[in-house]
């Protein structure tokens, strides 16, 4: 294998010093997850220096949404991601949805994240392989839209999709959660000729809602 695409993470940056986040932002992870992703990036860099080996590290921001054809969706056990948790609440499988922190320096006080649809992430992987096979060399690239949505905006979008009002419980901030994580996406756009097609808030929530309502009995 001489060409390799790695699913890295924006968590390698840690708490952002400046938003939107560029690829040259200092990488100072504050979690074991972020540290492990950074370690692999460093190993790939060392291996590329020593051997005939090229790689692209795609630093995901928040992967979300589901297959528009309803074949593949997001399910974890236990579930920790905001979009499916909000959908579970709308479907009556959770009593409430929790919001951790309402005093961030954001427009509505809740944390803001950059959500990227899984179909757009998939297309970025294909483009990355094409980039490597054309001999253009190794790189590390942010995979985000450059548009942030708050926790409360996500909840409201699920309310619109479901037609139901979600019971919300407000709590304290979680340790280590930055106020805003948003990508500067120009490198992906320029080098990979990548353009998100499904990453509007409406597309992310609607595809997730459709998949979960179809498969809910199998995942709760």
């Amino acid at each position: 294998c001489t060409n390799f695409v790695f699913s890295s993470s924006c968590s390698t940056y840690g708490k952002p010093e400046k938003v939107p986040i560029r690829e040259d932002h200092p990488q100072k992870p504050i979690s074991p997850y972020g540290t492990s992703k950074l370690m692999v990036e460093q190993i790939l860099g060392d291996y590329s220096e020593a051997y005939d080996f090229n790689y692209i590290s795609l630093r995901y921001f928040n992967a979300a949404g589901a297959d528009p054809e309803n074949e593949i969706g997001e399910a974890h056990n236990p579930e920790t991601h905001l979009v499916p948790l909000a959908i579970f609440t709308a479907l009556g499988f959770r009593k409430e949805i929790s919001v951790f922190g309402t005093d961030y320096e954001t427009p509505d006080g809740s944390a803001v994240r950059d959500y990227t649809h899984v179909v757009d992430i998939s297309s970025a992987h294909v483009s990355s392989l094409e980039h490597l096979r054309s001999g253009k060399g190794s790189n590390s690239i942010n995979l985000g839209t450059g548009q942030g949505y708050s926790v409360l905006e996500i909840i409201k979008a699920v309310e619109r999709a479901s037609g139901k009002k979600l019971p919300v419980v407000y709590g304290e901030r979680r340790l280590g959660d930055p106020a805003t994580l948003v990508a500067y996406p120009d490198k992906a756009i320029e080098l990979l000729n990548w353009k998100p097609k499904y990453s509007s808030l409406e597309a992310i929530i609607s595809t997730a809602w459709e998949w979960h309502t179809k498969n809910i009995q199998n995942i709760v």
Side-chain angles (χ1 to χ4, degrees):
C1 177
T2 57
N3 294 315
F4 192 88
V5 179
F6 174 54
S7 296
S8 190
S9 169
C10 67
S11 63
T12 64
Y13 296 120
K15 292 184 178 180
E17 299 174 2
K18 186 177 180 180
V19 178
I21 302 171
R22 295 178 182 268
E23 286 82 359
D24 60 359
H25 185 285
Q27 290 179 285
K28 300 177 181 178
I30 58 175
S31 68
Y33 176 77
T35 299
S36 70
K37 292 291 189 181
L38 179 56
M39 288 170 64
V40 176
E41 285 197 20
Q42 292 168 338
I43 290 168
L44 291 173
D46 291 342
Y47 199 86
S48 180
E49 288 291 328
Y51 301 100
D52 179 20
F53 179 83
N54 294 296
Y55 69 92
I56 287 181
S57 291
L58 293 175
R59 295 173 183 161
Y60 296 3
F61 278 64
N62 281 52
D67 170 24
E69 297 180 0
N70 279 329
E71 294 181 355
I72 303 172
E74 182 178 16
H76 309 96
N77 186 20
E79 186 58 72
T80 60
H81 291 187
L82 175 60
V83 173
L85 287 176
I87 290 173
F88 289 168
T89 306
L91 292 172
F93 289 90
R94 289 178 59 90
K95 292 182 180 180
E96 58 203 20
I97 182 72
S98 297
V99 175
F100 298 101
T102 58
D103 58 350
Y104 287 106
E105 293 181 359
T106 60
D108 63 18
S110 63
V112 170
R113 297 292 182 266
D114 188 332
Y115 293 86
T116 309
H117 197 283
V118 288
V119 172
D120 291 327
I121 290 175
S122 176
S123 72
H125 277 256
V126 174
S127 297
S128 295
L129 285 172
E130 292 173 347
H131 178 92
L132 291 170
R133 293 182 68 181
S134 67
K136 294 180 181 177
S138 300
N139 226 307
S140 296
I141 300 175
N142 285 338
L143 208 54
T145 65
Q147 171 66 53
Y149 297 103
S150 73
V151 172
L152 293 178
E153 285 179 307
I154 296 295
I155 290 172
K156 290 175 183 177
V158 172
E159 289 178 337
R160 290 194 297 271
S162 64
K164 299 178 181 179
K165 184 71 175 178
L166 273 61
V168 179
V169 173
Y170 300 97
E172 298 296 321
R173 298 185 188 187
R174 293 181 298 194
L175 184 65
D177 267 357
T180 303
L181 288 174
V182 174
Y184 191 87
D186 287 29
K187 197 171 183 180
I189 294 169
E190 293 168 4
L191 293 185
L192 303 181
N193 194 28
W194 179 72
K195 184 178 181 181
K197 297 179 180 179
Y198 293 88
S199 291
S200 68
L201 183 57
E202 291 73 20
I204 288 172
I205 300 302
S206 64
T207 55
W209 172 256
E210 290 171 8
W211 185 84
H212 277 87
T213 53
K214 178 181 176 181
N215 296 278
I216 190 65
Q217 298 298 334
N218 298 322
I219 57 178
V220 294

